[in-house]
Amino acid sequence: MHSGLHGRGALFDTDPPGLASRLVGLRPYQLRATPYEHSGEPPFVVFAGGRGLGKTALLLELREAYRGHTPVALIDGEERQFAAPPADRPAESWSPVGQALTTAAEQLAEPVKGAGRIGFPRLSSGLLAVAAGGWSNRDVPRIRQEAERILLLNETDSWLSGFAGRWVSKVISKLIASMSGTGPVVEPIIEATLEAFTEGVSPAHRRLRRAATWYRDYPNAGGSPKLALILLSRHFRAGGDSRRHAERHLVRALLADLDDAYTGVVQRSHRRGRPVLLIDNVQEPGGLGLLEPVLRDRSDGIADQVVFFAALRGYAHPALRNAGRLALPEAARETGWRPGTSPSSRALLVSLPPLTPDDTLHIMDTASGDLGTASGGPVPVPPQLPHATHRLTGGSPLGITLLAASARQNLPEGADSLGTLLTADVALHEDHAGRPAYQELLDRLVPGGRLDELTVLAAAHDRDSACSLAESRLPEDFGASGVLDLEERLASEGWATADGQFVGDPFLRALLLLRLHHGDRDHERWRAVHRALIDHYQDAGETAPPDGARYRLHHELALGKADFAVAHLRDTFPRSDTRRWLSSLVFIASAPYYHAHDPDGRDFDGHDHRASVALGRTDAAQLPPNGVDAVLHLRVRRLLHAVWQLTDPLVLPDPRVTERLRFELEQLSNLRPAGNALLWRASRDWPSDALAGRPLRIPGDDEGDR
């Protein structure tokens, strides 16, 4: 069996072995062994990328690939259980790291093929000492509940049937009996725990006795396990650096228990591959509290054989300053990773690339392959849909997958463009009602508040215009500081930047602008935002950016007013640098388009008129201004609407419009001898770019001055 994920073969491939096989020592979904690439110490692998790139899906697939074959656990640092202690547990005896260790150990303990459960006596004794710091003799029900969960981490299949449960009950009774009516309970709890761990003569008890002495090397314990656990509990309750010191030893205890499960000839013969610990949202406290101690211990020579795969939102973090860096495709055959002297060099940061057009084609083909109408007839799938989907999403796995789901559900209902697929309801689960697809996407791409503010600022082009919008269209307490906060948040979460856009990622910006348009029935907020930006650029004067006119015209066009843009492009065509003129054309025509409205903003026909204008069907009704070249005026008008339609990420490109685009550019090239070659090149490149779902390239400028 192979991963169902597209574009992630460098991780999941089996022949030759991909990154997962070479680190875990097992092929995904198989019990076939693979030689280790790093037999001494595996790198702590951190998958990096912005929202929507499939980091969570990758970790879920890794869990499925190794579940039942080798010990595996998955925790998510953003889950509610790691945010705050339960209502009845004191904060001084709880932390996200302690909760993460407990959750991970419960999953890692599960038996796998050929081997039984793993016990965690070192970890459980440390966790009991920490939990006891929040107990009192009035908390008997809570003590029983917390102690049972911790003590059951010691359960292994080597215990006689039913014995583990009886042993846990006996130990809990002993713990409760050890508490006096008054005074601290930590010391008697630790004494009772150590006593319970050292009783008996079975192999299981011998393992517990070894674990009980493990803490004797704790700093300042003087070789006493009891004093060590008292100090551990005290340090944990103290918080700050003292707590981090205690947590580091708890993480080390988890790894030591795992190492013990692989010690000995018999154990090694029954266990294949390394244990795997998966950490989603490693940038959160629960994730960092695992990552940093592991890196520090490995740097200090305290080895372990656990394979860590984590997911980081964004592409950098202070804890990973000196990590090795690779793109996922570069790790397909060998990482070349070599650790340095710093703790962070023990990590390998692997950036996830977006999916390719071919990946998008396969996903959309799969989604639409079984479509049919209610009468049973086939539903024609627009051939440009996969290319247009890739252009809109930029290869975002989340975006492609959700659009594929919308296509499966809504193409049979008459949806005929990406815009309608985004605004149509999509039900992601059979037992849930559908919601508009763009809302589902934004919930995942922009969680955590400030969506309303970001929706407005998506129309801005830089910090200055965003601050102007904030002043005129957002609450008074948001202001410039709110703009700076959102700007920092976009950068920290890995969203791309782009010249000329406050929200640099085209896909996120398209979704936000769609939300802006659909925010109210009469579209008043949409119109008010664009009018505010028109005023901003009109009032900017000498402080306006170079070519500031095109920013103003961009927003005029977003309001459906094309005459200003046509006049500007017509009048500047004879004298402007051709490359700059083409760049202005593309930028102005990148204005978001929504079907025509009356002066009050009400929809009156829902029809996209751009193709009709581009094809010259409205020329007869046009009266060019007096004193201008009427032929040039109409040609520029047709060209503007052609580019506007073909570059709109929410519609499928019209082949008739692409042919007209080619013709209009050819004719313009005859009027500008100095720019003839550039216009001719655009007449050849732009139609094919549009049909293939690629951005229009400015001839002679590979970066595209847009």
Side-chain angles (χ1 to χ4, degrees):
M1 183 178 180
H2 193 273
S3 162
L5 299 180
H6 292 266
R8 303 301 184 238
L11 180 63
F12 291 101
D13 279 348
T14 57
D15 190 18
L19 179 61
S21 297
R22 303 194 311 271
L23 296 185
V24 179
L26 284 177
R27 300 187 180 196
Y29 304 101
Q30 302 177 22
L31 286 171
R32 293 181 59 189
T34 298
Y36 293 124
E37 179 180 343
H38 300 284
S39 57
E41 174 192 335
F44 194 119
V45 176
V46 180
F47 298 114
R51 292 186 185 272
L53 275 178
K55 301 182 297 298
T56 297
L58 202 67
L59 297 184
L60 289 170
E61 194 73 26
L62 280 167
R63 182 177 65 178
E64 291 306 306
Y66 289 108
R67 177 182 279 170
H69 295 168
T70 195
V72 61
L74 170 61
I75 62 170
D76 182 351
E78 281 194 337
E79 282 187 3
R80 183 176 300 177
Q81 65 169 316
F82 305 119
D88 58 352
R89 183 161 182 179
E92 64 268 15
S93 67
W94 182 93
S95 78
V97 178
Q99 184 72 10
L101 288 168
T102 305
T103 305
E106 288 172 337
Q107 298 176 54
L108 290 164
E110 292 300 316
V112 298
K113 191 173 183 64
R117 289 179 59 87
I118 293 176
F120 291 90
R122 296 167 181 81
L123 177 63
S124 63
S125 56
L127 291 175
L128 270 177
V130 167
W135 292 345
S136 73
N137 63 335
R138 297 183 300 275
D139 298 332
V140 172
R142 181 165 66 86
I143 291 172
R144 288 187 179 277
Q145 182 182 29
E146 292 179 10
E148 181 175 25
R149 182 181 183 187
I150 293 171
L151 287 168
L152 283 174
L153 294 177
N154 295 298
E155 181 184 354
T156 67
D157 285 348
S158 61
W159 295 41
L160 296 175
S161 178
F163 178 75
R166 293 195 301 273
W167 181 84
V168 168
S169 297
K170 180 181 177 182
V171 174
I172 292 174
S173 297
K174 183 175 290 189
L175 297 181
I176 294 172
S178 70
M179 297 187 299
S180 61
T182 60
V185 303
V186 174
E187 186 169 337
I189 290 291
I190 289 173
E191 287 180 345
T193 301
L194 292 174
E195 181 181 339
F197 275 31
T198 54
E199 290 179 344
V201 295
S202 70
H205 281 110
R206 287 196 293 271
R207 179 176 54 78
L208 290 174
R209 282 199 301 276
R210 290 198 308 272
T213 63
W214 181 81
Y215 282 95
R216 63 175 53 173
D217 294 328
Y218 194 87
N220 299 319
S224 166
K226 174 185 172 182
L227 179 56
L229 289 169
I230 292 173
L231 289 171
L232 175 78
S233 181
R234 184 182 303 164
H235 290 154
F236 192 97
R237 294 196 306 275
D241 288 341
S242 295
R243 172 172 290 183
R244 283 188 284 274
H245 175 79
E247 288 173 339
R248 182 180 180 186
H249 282 266
L250 291 174
V251 173
R252 192 180 297 170
L254 172 80
L255 300 181
D257 284 329
L258 283 172
D259 185 62
D260 195 38
Y262 282 74
T263 300
V265 176
V266 175
Q267 293 277 51
R268 286 197 299 271
S269 67
H270 284 79
R271 296 197 177 276
R272 306 178 185 182
R274 290 163 163 158
V276 179
L277 183 49
L278 310 167
I279 308 172
D280 202 359
N281 290 299
V282 74
Q283 75 278 352
E284 299 300 323
L288 287 177
L290 299 183
L291 174 128
E292 293 178 322
V294 171
L295 297 183
R296 286 182 60 190
D297 276 2
R298 288 180 176 181
S299 181
D300 290 343
I302 302 174
D304 69 85
Q305 287 293 301
V306 177
V307 175
F308 288 88
F309 290 112
L312 172 73
R313 184 173 305 129
Y315 294 91
H317 191 280
L320 299 166
R321 186 175 293 109
N322 298 314
R325 292 179 179 271
L326 285 176
L328 181 59
E330 297 173 318
R333 300 296 173 258
E334 183 180 6
T335 64
W337 173 79
R338 298 292 182 272
T341 57
S342 66
S344 60
S345 71
R346 259 53 197 182
L348 178 62
L349 204 63
V350 179
S351 59
L352 296 183
L355 299 185
T356 67
D358 284 347
D359 295 326
T360 307
L361 176 65
H362 297 321
I363 294 172
M364 297 302 291
D365 279 350
T366 301
S368 56
D370 298 325
L371 291 178
T373 62
S375 60
V379 175
V381 178
Q384 303 100 329
L385 183 61
H387 298 308
T389 299
H390 190 268
R391 178 181 68 176
L392 169 66
T393 63
S396 162
L398 174 64
I400 296 167
T401 302
L402 203 141
L403 276 166
S406 183
R408 186 184 305 112
Q409 297 174 32
N410 293 303
L411 282 178
E413 304 302 320
D416 59 358
S417 72
L418 289 171
T420 52
L421 290 179
L422 285 171
T423 54
D425 286 351
V426 59
L428 301 181
H429 305 284
E430 291 184 1
D431 56 344
H432 287 74
R435 299 177 62 215
Y438 77 89
Q439 291 184 11
E440 292 285 356
L441 284 164
L442 285 172
D443 282 351
R444 289 159 173 77
L445 296 174
V446 192
R450 295 302 191 190
L451 178 57
D452 286 342
E453 291 83 356
L454 191 59
T455 297
V456 170
L457 297 183
H461 299 283
D462 52 21
R463 185 184 299 169
D464 187 41
S465 58
C467 288
S468 176
L469 263 185
E471 182 179 355
S472 63
R473 301 304 309 165
L474 293 177
E476 190 173 304
D477 61 351
F478 185 77
S481 62
V483 171
L484 292 173
D485 180 67
L486 274 181
E487 191 176 54
E488 181 180 336
R489 179 174 159 188
L490 289 170
S492 67
E493 295 196 351
W495 290 109
T497 59
D499 291 339
Q501 300 293 352
F502 181 77
V503 176
D505 184 83
F507 182 40
L508 177 61
R509 187 169 65 251
L511 295 173
L512 290 167
L513 292 174
L514 194 60
R515 184 176 186 268
L516 178 65
H517 186 260
H518 286 271
D520 45 13
R521 293 187 62 183
D522 62 358
H523 314 295
E524 172 55 32
R525 189 165 65 143
W526 168 267
R527 291 182 290 150
V529 165
H530 288 288
R531 283 198 301 262
L533 286 168
I534 291 169
D535 293 341
H536 168 73
Y537 287 109
Q538 282 179 333
D539 298 341
E542 293 182 357
T543 63
D547 292 333
R550 67 181 188 175
Y551 289 90
R552 176 174 53 81
L553 296 170
H554 173 98
H555 295 287
E556 295 277 10
L557 197 58
L559 293 176
K561 301 175 182 178
D563 291 346
F564 299 105
V566 172
H568 173 81
L569 292 168
R570 178 198 69 217
D571 294 342
T572 56
F573 176 74
R575 62 178 186 270
S576 294
D577 172 78
T578 302
R579 187 171 63 85
R580 184 180 296 275
W581 187 85
L582 288 170
S583 176
S584 293
L585 167 64
V586 172
F587 183 84
I588 293 169
S590 68
Y593 175 86
Y594 298 96
H595 49 261
H597 306 104
D598 67 16
D600 295 321
R602 293 185 293 269
D603 304 341
F604 66 82
D605 68 357
H607 181 64
D608 184 343
H609 295 277
R610 290 174 297 181
S612 296
V613 177
L615 296 173
R617 294 171 182 168
T618 65
D619 284 359
Q622 293 298 305
L623 293 175
N626 293 328
V628 304
D629 184 334
V631 174
L632 177 62
H633 177 88
L634 292 174
R635 195 174 302 288
V636 168
R637 183 172 181 267
R638 292 191 295 267
L639 179 62
L640 172 66
H641 284 79
V643 175
W644 196 13
Q645 196 267 351
L646 293 173
T647 58
D648 187 340
L650 300 183
V651 303
L652 303 182
D654 187 331
R656 299 168 302 166
V657 176
T658 60
E659 180 59 26
R660 189 64 186 231
L661 172 69
R662 180 194 63 76
F663 174 77
E664 299 294 356
L665 286 169
E666 281 182 359
Q667 297 305 305
L668 283 178
S669 72
N670 294 327
L671 304 179
R672 284 292 306 271
N676 174 278
L678 294 178
L679 290 163
W680 180 265
R681 187 70 266 155
S683 75
R684 292 302 180 263
D685 291 343
W686 285 10
S688 58
D689 285 344
L691 288 176
R694 295 188 297 263
L696 303 189
R697 297 165 289 177
I698 306 301
D701 181 13
D702 291 338
E703 296 298 321
D705 181 19
R706 309 178 200 184

